[in-house]
Amino acid sequence: QAWCFRQFTEIFTPSLYLADIVRGWGVDSERVSVIPNAVELQTPINAEPQVDLVTVARLVPWKGLMELIDLAAENQWSLSIVGDGPMRSELAHQIKSRGSQDIELRGVVPQEQVVAEIRRGRVFVLNSSYEGLPHIVLEAKAAGVPVVATAAGGTPEAINDGEDGRLVPVGKTIKLEQVLKELLNDGSVRKTLSHAGLAQLKRNFSFQEMVKDTEGLL
């Protein structure tokens, strides 16, 4: 893998975090560029959320879903988990063992339904321990839902903590719980974060900029 990458004339990644990984394979810095992912802004709606928390993720260990289920059960928060993966049966057992009726595994949904699933939540949460540049964070912001995420990999490049979302350290469940409580109890902060998130997308993650930068590189 490292040998192959060293043969390329130019390489671009969606985040500084991934660019550093590529440089670590012995690729000259001047041949590595960063062009962030882009996201399409969604038409605003005024529908009332149906659950406290929503997450969209592949059901794998590094997404931190077991801990998220425990947090939701302990605080009596409703939680919608969208996605599928090898941990599905394990997560279903965990939900059953916690005796919560308000935590649901929604499974895989069509791509065109993802925005509607995100908008079911008052807060979108991503509790992962690894991310390159999480496109789902951009999608949640585009849907107008405030985002709380762990500062894993390239995620801090998509969130300015306290301005257009909230970041918490990886593995700090108590801090995650505290931040979620603050947001769920304060509608004005949720609105401020979601509005700022939309503005950030227009500035930094537009399709026009992505196409322009990619075309310029080519």
Side-chain angles (χ1 to χ4, degrees):
Q1 176 174 276
W3 182 88
C4 287
F5 271 80
R6 288 196 295 270
Q7 312 313 307
F8 296 133
T9 305
E10 296 286 343
I11 299 167
F12 68 94
T13 74
S15 68
L16 293 167
Y17 171 75
L18 291 175
D20 283 342
I21 289 177
V22 172
R23 292 186 188 102
W25 296 338
V27 178
D28 296 334
S29 292
E30 60 269 20
R31 290 194 286 128
V32 182
S33 302
V34 175
I35 301 177
N37 291 331
V39 67
E40 199 169 347
L41 297 180
Q42 302 296 323
T43 304
I45 61 169
N46 295 316
E48 284 296 316
Q50 300 170 39
V51 294
D52 295 316
L53 306 174
V54 63
T55 190
V56 180
R58 181 156 165 73
L59 310 186
V60 290
W62 60 88
K63 295 295 183 178
L65 296 167
M66 296 288 275
E67 295 82 359
L68 195 54
I69 288 170
D70 286 341
L71 270 187
E74 289 164 11
N75 288 277
Q76 298 184 322
W77 293 330
S78 49
L79 167 65
S80 172
I81 301 173
V82 181
D84 205 352
M87 287 187 70
R88 184 182 178 95
S89 60
E90 187 178 351
L91 294 173
H93 180 268
Q94 178 78 351
I95 292 169
K96 185 176 180 180
S97 69
R98 297 303 304 238
S100 175
Q101 303 297 314
D102 297 321
I103 302 176
E104 54 183 344
L105 290 172
R106 302 280 284 180
V108 175
V109 301
Q111 182 60 37
E112 59 270 19
Q113 190 182 325
V114 171
V115 172
E117 291 291 333
I118 291 172
R119 283 176 166 165
R120 292 184 69 237
R122 289 199 284 161
V123 174
F124 179 89
V125 57
L126 186 65
N127 185 39
S128 53
S129 57
Y130 168 79
E131 294 290 340
L133 184 78
H135 196 265
I136 194 63
V137 164
L138 305 182
E139 289 185 274
K141 289 187 174 191
V145 178
V147 175
V148 175
T150 44
T155 304
E157 297 173 51
I159 297 176
N160 299 293
D161 185 37
E163 296 179 22
D164 47 55
R166 293 300 311 271
L167 283 172
V168 298
V170 174
K172 300 297 183 181
T173 308
I174 293 176
K175 179 63 176 178
L176 177 61
E177 181 179 32
Q178 175 190 336
V179 170
L180 290 174
K181 281 181 179 178
E182 290 171 1
L183 283 191
L184 289 172
N185 291 329
D186 197 329
S188 64
V189 172
R190 294 199 304 272
K191 185 177 291 186
T192 297
L193 291 178
S194 61
H195 287 174
L198 288 170
Q200 178 212 23
L201 294 182
K202 293 176 184 177
R203 290 193 311 271
N204 302 332
F205 298 97
S206 73
F207 272 106
Q208 291 81 0
E209 287 299 310
M210 182 185 72
V211 170
K212 184 187 75 173
D213 291 345
T214 305
E215 184 180 39
L217 178 63
L218 293 175

